[in-house]
Amino acid sequence: MAKVHVTTSVNGEETEYLCEPHETLLDVLRNNLQLTGTKEGCGSGDCGACSVTVDGRLTCSCLVLAVEAEGREIGTIEGVGDKEKLSVIQQKFLEHAALQCGICTPGLIVSTQAMLKDNPTPTEEDVRYYLAGNLCRCTGYDKIVRAVMDAAETLPSERGA
Amino acid sequence: MSEAQDYKYIGQRTIRPDGFDKVTGRASYGADLSLPGMIWGKTLRSPHAHARITRLDTSKAEAMPGVLAVAVHSDFAAVSDEAIQAGEGSANLIDLASNILAKNKVLYHGHAVAAVAAKTEALAEQALALIEVEYEVLPPVMTALAAMAADAPVLHDDMFTTGLEETPDKASNIANRVEFKIGDVEAGFAEADVIVEGTYKTPTCHQGYIEPHACTVRYDEDGQSMIWCCTQGHFDVRTSTAKLLGMELSKLKVVASEIGGGFGGKTTVYQEPVALILSKKSGRPVKMVMDRDEVQLATGPTSASHNWVKIGARKDGTITAMQGKFIYEAGAFKGSPVMMGCMTAFTPYEVPNLYAEGFDVVVNKPKVAAYRAPGAPQGEFAAEMAVNELAAKLGMDPIELRLKNAAKEGTQTIYGPKFKRVGLVECLEAARDSEHYKAALAENQGRGVASGFWFNVGGQSSVVINMNPDGTGTIVEGSPDIGGSRASMQMMAAEELGIPLEKLKPIVADTEMLAYSQGTGGSRTTFATGMAVIEAAQDVVRQLKERAAALWNVTAEQVDYADGVAYNTAGEDKMTCAEICSKADRTGGQITGRGNINARGAGPSFAVHICDLEVDPETGKTDVIRYTAIQDAGKAIHPSYVEGQLQGGAVQGIGWALNEEYVYSPEGKLENMGFLDYRIPVASDLPMIDTVVIEVPNAFHPFGVRGVGESGIIPPLAAVGTAAANAIGTHVTELPLSPPRVLKLVQEKG
Amino acid sequence: MAVADYKAPSTVSEAVSLLASAQMKAKVMAGGTDLIIQSKSQTAEPLLVVDLKRIETMKDYQLTDEGLSLGPAMCCAEFTALEDVKAVYPGLTEAAYLIGSTQVQGRASVGGNLCNSSPAADTIPALIANGAQCVIEGPDGDRTVPVEDFVTGVGKNCLAANEILKRIVIPRPAPGTADAYLRFIPRTEMDIAVAGAGVSVTLDADGTCTAARVGIGAVAPTAMLVPAAAAALVGTKLDDTALEAAAKAASEASNPITDRRGTVEFRRHVVGVLVKRAAKIAQSRAQG
Ligand SMILES: Cc1cc2nc3c(=O)[nH]c(=O)nc-3n(C[C@H](O)[C@H](O)[C@H](O)COP(=O)(O)OP(=O)(O)OC[C@H]3O[C@@H](n4cnc5c(N)ncnc54)[C@H](O)[C@@H]3O)c2cc1C
Ligand code: FES
Ligand code: FES
């Protein structure tokens, strides 16, 4: 099978890779680009550990073929926050102890960022339903929901709004 | 240690030291390491639940271009029938080898038969299809009761029931029988005014950690072999793998990656020894990562159980006797946690007459692995449901009934010791006095309470604290951090050393950097490894005093040390920890503190949960509407992570009670692999989980710590079960309370 | 199947000719949330994937006086955010909203849901309730099939290997009409329907039901239209007796199986409950 050459943007950086047609975006992020912050919990869209954005839209990278990324913009956990500073969401996850083992955390943070872009003032119910595709087996979600709500409240003031 | 002591760090909600890496995606988990020249291993698994392997031919796979090695059971040449310590239970080495690569029989759907290593994952998968296996399919035995039937097909024709007065001469699926008793239950029942009895069943459930098992390994002839894997106990991975491959411990380094959840399920080995064989044969590093189906098929689960319980009480609520017969499925190989079930089921109660009998039964399902308080939730579910039935029959409040009979200091346990101070009464009182317990319920809603007991474990931990010339230090521990334990270690060491938290960096060391440490399990890490940290820190303090004494020309006894500063009691001098460290070169070299312990005195942790549940009587759908988890932590080092343990345990228990179960076809094939059909709770299923952390100090720990990781999964089964029973106005005897079962209960009630 | 080749054409006819000239098994892909998982299954049979997402007309929509014309590959996240569509077909929007998680919504499409033809597909009963038509393009031109005839079996439909569903067309409902879709799952999210029901009712000025369509899912090899359930509603004010009769008709029309997701008895019972509840929601919507 001939490998396919793909030019895409990952976290704002132009990126090229060669992939097999059957490989998923998750495979390529982790194995070819060594961006292992995106995790694989199921490979079938059920756990959300592999959450990324494609052209700004939240998706499971295990359900995207790597070849599809041609010309798209991919956002991963590695692109959250800046070099100096954690994002408010990341900071709130730490403050609220919203992670235990942390395997779900990158996916949850990417999802939370996507949610707050669409809905900056979510209710608890909004948060729980939006994040229902991000499984966490350790925390019982309580502290995650609190961290997300707190981040939502903190963000507008951070932006100076 | 005085109870009212003021701590500087203990009890604070600090930011965990490994947090930055985990929220930025930098932390490396089991599947995140790749090595130069690395190839991929994949496992061929049995499509049958029970079959004899009549032919296994790997030659075509071996001949396929890109395939570099194949492994089968006979590669475990070194295996002897030696019991080894494998996680929280002890496993027979032959069983272990036969579980990770089937010997001559496959014993469950998904049982590993062979493994292949190839240049890419896809090639390895294609090669699996070239392995030729012929099976003689045998009838499967899918429940303990079926397995105990006289004419049941026998899984192991060399297994004879142990624990009977006479060893039988006929092979059986009953591996073992255990018995515990105090007093005379018959006499106790004779004294009773009221008797309740019932049979309670729990399903096969998986730990459900989100991270699949994964490892990257490299075999080296000159003794530099290495395993990188996600495990709760890398020293135990080393022991098991070394024994299976006939290696000396020093020739194998095991590095614990970050671990994406374990809950007991990552206390044993599956792929690691196989990967090492493949690496040895191919001369290349090998990576093996399970997919979700494999996790569900061949790792984990916890025992399904079938338990009969009988309780007698006087009219005033005094329990006179409790009796139980507990039957636990072990999966394909012996070793269910039924003994733990017998030891825990009645332990929240002080009752003079107790009798518990347990049966460990093999069936054609994956070999069970520890799951949070292994063995306790099943037995305690039965006992707690029966206690709630008893309360209803007596017309007594279930918490008052529990308080009347609660285990406390001095209570004789069924498994031997008498309790030192324990916090059950305090938990029950907190439950009784809570807003939640008094809140009104609407139509179709019900409330349930239940308690839970878990021993907690101590055991061996090794810790080293290396002080640096600038006064910072590294805490080198050997317990993988599953849920924030590095934070607790940092806090305890900072407290002892009197230096700021951020001066101390806790790391989880590999097996070469530290002496043996037991794994993270049994709620032992904050307790036992914490004690080793404290001991190591005290060792550092002792040396700091000696070094200061040397600089001041006084004796060490003349030096006091507090809040990070050494004082010369014979003069005016003082020196900070950092100053002493910076001069260590002049006083004999750098400072290392050691704490190698075998901790005893793990204080039991009791939990009491309250659950409100609403039932949709038309569909049987349930909704947990309010939940409170109360638990004795002894002392909460980091309250947020203690609460997190309570919440996480509660939600796993809720899942177990409501929708989680293994669904098998009549042929014994697992039908619900994957999270879409193995239904663990999702965020929108739940309310906030309120917590109340009780602190009744454990006298054996310098800060009073009790392990908190496990008790919290016990009460939900009966709290949810009773809430459902009350919402419907019926009896509940079987989990999970999935909608079809609940609807049936509603319809039967009419 | 294993994806061996990938093409991303920019027009439907190009896609059709790619299918027609394929040297291996070929399938079109919208969101891929079914296809990619299926392609990872055991057999190594090579597969050509023809991606529809670079075809603009597969992802747009027009809402006119005639009704809705939907590009079947539009992802559900985009579809469910269309407020104008939601105002007219709230039940269809609900059904699309129920598919998978937020992440899955970002990819999954209504067309993919329909073409995957699972008995449990959420949008199919809602499409049936709304009388949707499927516009199909093949090498010989276009044809149109009513949605209830589109699906022919478990995972099977009337598409030939070289045909593409290019449009989903839904007539604009008569005045006084509204729809609703409900499904039953054990959890609140991330489950596949154990039973589903889409109901559309038309009410006259005094609240009498003059027309109704009832579609049910996950209780037979295909989602199906249940005329008997609709008949039980027409001519009534959707009182309890009428609702019970519709529920009974739906239960009787169902032909479920027992599997890991539910039993025959349970599904049969619950589908009736869903029809009843969905009809009530549709009623209150129609009353505005
Ligand atoms: C985690 C998860 C949860 C899910 N939950 C649900 C749920 O709750 N309810 C539900 O109904 N489904 C659910 N699904 C299934 C799936 O997401 C839906 O069926 C979805 O709508 C499929 O759309 P798609 O665009 O991804 O289809 P694709 O995977 O792209 O295609 C599906 C099939 O349809 C064919 N196809 C697609 N478009 C066309 C076209 N225009 N013409 C001809 N053939 C076409 C493809 O060849 C393929 O065979 C879930 C899936 C996952 C992974
Ligand atoms: S790995 Fe993609 S959703 Fe689980
Ligand atoms: S913190 Fe472990 S899965 Fe979420």
Side-chain angles (χ1 to χ4, degrees):
Chain A
M1 266 180 284
K3 290 207 176 193
V4 184
H5 178 261
V6 173
T7 307
T8 185
S9 150
V10 179
N11 301 323
E13 249 174 67
E14 191 182 284
T15 305
E16 292 177 66
Y17 54 79
L18 288 176
C19 67
E20 309 259 1
H22 68 85
E23 285 179 302
T24 63
L25 179 58
L26 175 63
D27 293 335
V28 165
L29 287 173
R30 291 179 50 81
N31 298 336
N32 300 28
L33 305 179
Q34 260 72 60
L35 293 172
T36 55
T38 306
K39 304 298 179 192
E40 174 161 358
C42 67
S44 52
D46 306 326
C47 77
C50 66
S51 298
V52 300
T53 54
V54 177
D55 287 349
R57 207 182 274 294
L58 186 67
T59 56
C60 293
S61 57
C62 70
L63 293 184
V64 177
L65 295 175
V67 290
E68 289 184 64
E70 177 69 38
R72 307 281 190 206
E73 287 183 11
I74 312 296
T76 73
I77 182 67
E78 286 87 354
V80 177
D82 56 41
K83 282 174 214 78
E84 319 283 278
K85 203 161 157 256
L86 294 178
S87 74
V88 169
I89 298 167
Q90 290 170 315
Q91 191 60 38
K92 292 298 171 194
F93 266 65
L94 290 180
E95 283 172 22
H96 286 267
L99 51 144
Q100 286 177 27
C101 78
I103 195 83
C104 64
T105 310
L108 272 157
I109 287 173
V110 168
S111 300
T112 302
Q113 181 166 291
M115 175 180 68
L116 294 182
K117 207 173 64 165
D118 290 350
N119 178 3
T121 55
T123 62
E124 181 189 332
E125 192 176 335
D126 291 342
V127 171
R128 288 186 179 276
Y129 276 88
Y130 194 99
L131 299 178
N134 288 92
L135 300 183
C136 173
R137 188 61 157 172
C138 298
T139 64
Y141 304 104
D142 183 300
K143 293 188 188 301
I144 293 172
V145 174
R146 288 177 203 276
V148 172
M149 303 285 288
D150 190 2
E153 271 175 38
T154 310
L155 271 168
S157 59
E158 282 273 313
R159 290 196 202 99
Chain B
M1 182 208 69
S2 84
E3 267 182 45
Q5 198 165 336
D6 276 339
Y7 294 117
K8 201 157 176 191
Y9 303 111
I10 307 284
Q12 301 292 312
R13 296 177 191 258
T14 62
I15 299 288
R16 62 196 278 172
D18 54 331
F20 184 90
D21 275 6
K22 287 185 175 155
V23 297
T24 53
R26 293 179 198 187
S28 276
Y29 289 78
D32 294 346
L33 180 73
S34 294
L35 293 174
M38 185 185 82
I39 59 175
W40 293 78
K42 281 275 152 198
T43 305
L44 179 71
R45 297 186 180 277
S46 166
H48 306 293
H50 192 190
R52 212 177 304 283
I53 300 173
T54 53
R55 194 173 80 92
L56 174 58
D57 182 351
T58 60
S59 55
K60 289 204 179 108
E62 278 166 84
M64 183 179 134
V67 170
L68 296 172
V70 173
V72 293
H73 179 86
S74 55
D75 290 313
F76 294 123
V79 173
S80 67
D81 189 351
E82 184 182 354
I84 54 156
Q85 190 61 31
E88 280 171 65
S90 68
N92 175 293
L93 204 54
I94 288 183
D95 284 355
L96 184 61
S98 309
N99 189 35
I100 59 187
L101 283 174
K103 199 172 174 189
N104 39 33
K105 261 179 122 183
V106 287
L107 295 165
Y108 52 93
H109 175 206
H111 196 162
V113 174
V116 171
K119 283 184 176 167
T120 68
E121 212 177 350
L123 283 175
E125 234 152 64
Q126 286 167 30
L128 293 181
L130 298 180
I131 298 178
E132 292 169 9
V133 198
E134 277 166 28
Y135 297 99
E136 176 197 337
V137 178
L138 303 168
V141 186
M142 299 311 295
T143 66
L145 290 196
M148 291 168 90
D151 57 349
V154 170
L155 270 67
H156 305 277
D157 51 21
D158 56 353
M159 196 172 83
F160 302 89
T161 313
T162 53
L164 300 176
E165 288 192 355
E166 275 172 50
T167 307
D169 51 13
K170 190 169 163 253
S172 155
N173 292 323
I174 305 173
N176 188 26
R177 175 188 173 277
V178 291
E179 182 188 272
F180 292 85
K181 63 178 166 190
I182 48 179
D184 175 353
V185 279
E186 287 316 319
F189 287 127
E191 277 177 52
D193 300 314
V194 176
I195 289 196
V196 292
E197 89 178 85
T199 299
Y200 298 92
K201 291 191 252 178
T202 65
T204 303
C205 282
H206 197 273
Q207 293 79 347
Y209 32 83
I210 305 300
E211 178 197 34
H213 297 256
C215 62
T216 299
V217 314
R218 191 189 57 220
Y219 185 87
D220 235 302
E221 282 304 335
D222 68 355
Q224 306 292 323
S225 296
M226 189 277 300
I227 295 177
W228 158 281
C229 64
C230 50
T231 174
Q232 292 174 244
H234 46 311
F235 288 89
D236 295 326
V237 169
R238 181 181 64 170
T239 311
S240 306
T241 308
K243 289 212 167 154
L244 286 170
L245 272 70
M247 297 167 78
E248 287 177 343
L249 293 180
S250 68
K251 302 267 161 61
L252 177 60
K253 167 163 87 177
V254 181
V255 185
S257 68
E258 295 303 327
I259 169 172
F263 314 109
K266 289 181 184 157
T267 53
T268 183
V269 290
Y270 297 101
Q271 300 176 125
E272 296 81 357
V274 179
L276 207 56
I277 290 171
L278 292 170
S279 176
K280 184 176 181 178
K281 289 190 174 184
S282 63
R284 304 277 284 269
V286 173
K287 181 166 181 161
M288 291 185 85
V289 181
M290 284 193 195
D291 64 28
R292 179 53 49 183
D293 287 359
E294 292 182 280
V295 172
Q296 207 85 17
L297 278 170
T299 75
T302 188
S303 301
S305 73
H306 189 280
N307 308 312
W308 169 82
V309 165
K310 180 175 171 183
I311 305 178
R314 290 208 201 90
K315 279 203 207 76
D316 69 352
T318 308
I319 299 178
T320 55
M322 298 176 104
Q323 182 178 356
K325 180 175 170 182
F326 303 96
I327 302 171
Y328 283 29
E329 292 175 4
F333 299 93
K334 64 180 176 280
S336 79
V338 71
M339 191 200 276
M340 307 289 199
C342 292
M343 290 159 80
T344 52
F346 305 132
T347 305
Y349 303 92
E350 179 172 290
V351 175
N353 307 300
L354 296 172
Y355 182 85
E357 186 184 25
F359 294 88
D360 180 27
V361 183
V362 295
V363 296
N364 291 116
K365 294 183 184 176
K367 164 75 173 74
V368 300
Y371 183 19
R372 225 169 180 158
Q378 295 95 328
E380 294 194 55
F381 166 64
E384 293 295 303
M385 289 302 289
V387 167
N388 286 340
E389 293 272 351
L390 177 67
K393 213 162 170 179
L394 288 165
M396 246 178 115
D397 176 89
I399 296 185
E400 292 303 337
L401 176 64
R402 285 179 170 81
L403 276 167
K404 192 167 179 74
N405 296 284
K408 48 190 170 294
E409 188 166 356
T411 297
Q412 172 65 53
T413 63
I414 197 171
Y415 57 91
K418 285 191 173 148
F419 276 137
K420 301 281 185 298
R421 230 181 124 193
V422 290
L424 175 59
V425 169
E426 289 80 352
C427 290
L428 287 166
E429 286 170 350
R432 180 194 60 197
D433 300 340
S434 66
E435 281 300 312
H436 181 175
Y437 198 58
K438 292 172 203 145
L441 290 168
E443 202 188 349
N444 297 321
Q445 296 179 351
R447 177 168 298 148
V449 288
S451 35
F453 157 77
W454 181 247
F455 321 85
N456 292 329
V457 174
Q460 302 181 65
S461 282
S462 306
V463 167
V464 166
I465 300 181
N466 293 319
M467 298 304 295
N468 299 315
D470 63 354
T472 61
T474 312
I475 306 164
V476 185
E477 54 155 325
S479 305
D481 180 354
I482 302 196
S485 61
R486 284 188 189 89
S488 304
M489 301 306 148
Q490 187 191 40
M491 292 161 85
M492 286 188 266
E495 197 74 53
E496 288 292 337
L497 292 169
I499 61 176
L501 280 182
E502 59 278 7
K503 301 282 181 205
L504 287 164
K505 177 180 173 187
I507 65 156
V508 177
D510 67 50
T511 54
E512 286 181 345
M513 287 154 64
L514 205 61
Y516 177 82
S517 285
Q518 251 167 273
T520 293
S523 299
R524 63 176 298 277
T525 296
T526 306
F527 171 73
T529 305
M531 264 162 86
V533 165
I534 293 166
E535 207 168 295
Q538 287 168 347
D539 190 22
V540 170
V541 169
R542 186 182 53 74
Q543 296 174 54
L544 289 170
K545 287 187 192 172
E546 284 171 9
R547 304 304 181 90
L551 289 165
W552 292 325
N553 252 325
V554 297
T555 66
E557 289 70 40
Q558 288 172 301
V559 179
D560 264 357
Y561 183 89
D563 282 335
V565 181
Y567 300 88
N568 181 359
T569 57
E572 294 291 294
D573 315 287
K574 56 180 183 177
M575 241 188 296
T576 63
C577 167
E579 285 167 337
I580 303 170
C581 289
S582 73
K583 294 179 178 137
D585 56 341
R586 287 191 252 150
T587 55
Q590 300 302 320
I591 298 172
T592 290
R594 274 194 319 124
N596 290 11
I597 63 162
N598 189 356
R600 314 215 173 272
S605 178
F606 280 96
V608 175
H609 289 193
I610 312 170
C611 172
D612 292 356
L613 189 93
E614 182 163 320
V615 171
D616 178 344
E618 282 191 312
T619 64
K621 186 164 158 51
T622 56
D623 190 12
V624 175
I625 51 177
R626 188 167 180 181
Y627 203 96
T628 305
I630 303 160
Q631 192 172 323
D632 177 15
K635 174 73 200 168
I637 300 292
H638 192 305
S640 300
Y641 288 104
V642 170
E643 291 160 6
Q645 288 296 320
L646 271 51
Q647 291 163 334
V651 168
Q652 280 186 322
I654 290 170
W656 196 336
L658 289 182
N659 280 311
E660 292 181 36
E661 66 179 316
Y662 271 41
V663 179
Y664 281 100
S665 73
E667 299 76 37
K669 293 195 185 179
L670 183 60
E671 300 207 305
N672 62 335
M673 291 169 263
F675 285 127
L676 211 50
D677 287 304
Y678 184 80
R679 303 187 177 97
I680 73 172
V682 303
S684 48
D685 291 342
L686 296 158
M688 291 296 186
I689 307 294
D690 296 332
T691 57
V692 181
V693 176
I694 303 290
E695 295 188 322
V696 175
N698 171 14
F700 289 103
H701 188 279
F703 298 124
V705 167
R706 298 172 190 275
V708 292
E710 292 173 289
S711 308
I713 198 174
I714 302 164
L717 279 62
V720 172
T722 303
N726 290 340
I728 305 166
T730 185
H731 305 278
V732 161
T733 56
E734 188 170 358
L735 301 180
L737 289 160
S738 55
R741 177 165 290 134
V742 172
L743 184 66
K744 209 155 162 247
L745 290 171
V746 172
Q747 288 169 339
E748 279 165 5
K749 209 222 151 205
Chain C
M1 294 185 290
V3 182
D5 200 359
Y6 169 87
K7 293 276 182 317
S10 51
T11 64
V12 176
S13 20
E14 214 185 308
V16 169
S17 49
L18 278 167
L19 291 180
S21 63
Q23 301 296 306
M24 58 181 96
K25 182 173 177 143
K27 288 211 140 217
V28 297
M29 176 171 81
T33 58
D34 283 315
L35 187 68
I36 293 176
I37 293 174
Q38 288 156 9
S39 77
K40 290 181 189 170
S41 68
Q42 293 304 315
T43 67
E45 184 188 7
L47 175 71
L48 163 67
V49 167
V50 178
D51 192 351
L52 302 177
K53 286 191 300 298
R54 311 249 173 188
I55 305 174
E56 286 313 316
T57 60
M58 287 300 287
K59 300 187 296 181
D60 62 357
Y61 81 108
Q62 292 95 35
L63 184 66
T64 63
D65 290 348
E66 305 294 300
L68 172 68
S69 169
L70 176 68
M74 176 191 284
C75 77
C76 290
E78 194 178 337
F79 178 72
T80 56
L82 301 174
E83 291 298 333
D84 51 350
V85 173
K86 187 176 173 184
V88 185
Y89 312 97
L92 178 60
T93 304
E94 267 159 9
Y97 190 75
L98 288 173
I99 296 177
S101 56
T102 317
Q103 288 87 336
V104 171
Q105 296 265 311
R107 298 269 295 172
S109 63
V110 174
N113 196 232
L114 179 55
C115 295
N116 190 57
S117 304
S118 154
D122 280 308
T123 62
I124 303 180
L127 290 168
I128 290 177
N130 281 293
Q133 300 283 322
C134 308
V135 183
I136 298 166
E137 178 170 331
D140 306 327
D142 290 2
R143 63 189 178 110
T144 299
V145 176
V147 69
E148 58 270 28
D149 299 335
F150 181 85
V151 182
T152 54
V154 178
K156 295 200 185 95
N157 56 45
C158 68
L159 289 175
N162 52 10
E163 284 184 317
I164 290 175
L165 172 69
K166 80 166 181 191
R167 223 65 205 164
I168 297 173
V169 175
I170 309 179
R172 185 172 274 273
T177 302
D179 71 334
Y181 175 77
L182 289 176
R183 69 168 181 187
F184 183 83
I185 54 170
R187 291 179 291 188
T188 50
E189 274 281 354
M190 301 310 289
D191 279 333
I192 299 298
V194 176
V199 177
S200 160
V201 296
T202 307
L203 306 182
D204 66 13
D206 73 341
T208 303
C209 176
T210 56
R213 282 176 73 88
V214 175
I216 57 176
V219 289
T222 66
M224 56 196 218
L225 185 68
V226 191
L233 299 174
V234 173
T236 75
K237 293 202 162 173
L238 304 186
D239 50 279
D240 286 350
T241 324
L243 294 173
E244 286 303 336
K248 190 154 171 275
S251 293
E252 278 167 6
S254 71
N255 177 23
I257 55 163
T258 292
D259 67 5
R260 62 193 182 278
R261 292 177 184 148
T263 59
V264 167
E265 307 77 51
F266 182 75
R267 286 188 150 125
R268 214 183 262 289
H269 169 83
V270 167
V271 77
V273 175
L274 295 176
V275 164
K276 199 165 70 179
R277 291 180 179 179
K280 279 189 111 150
I281 297 171
Q283 177 191 29
S284 74
R285 283 178 180 157
Q287 285 164 342

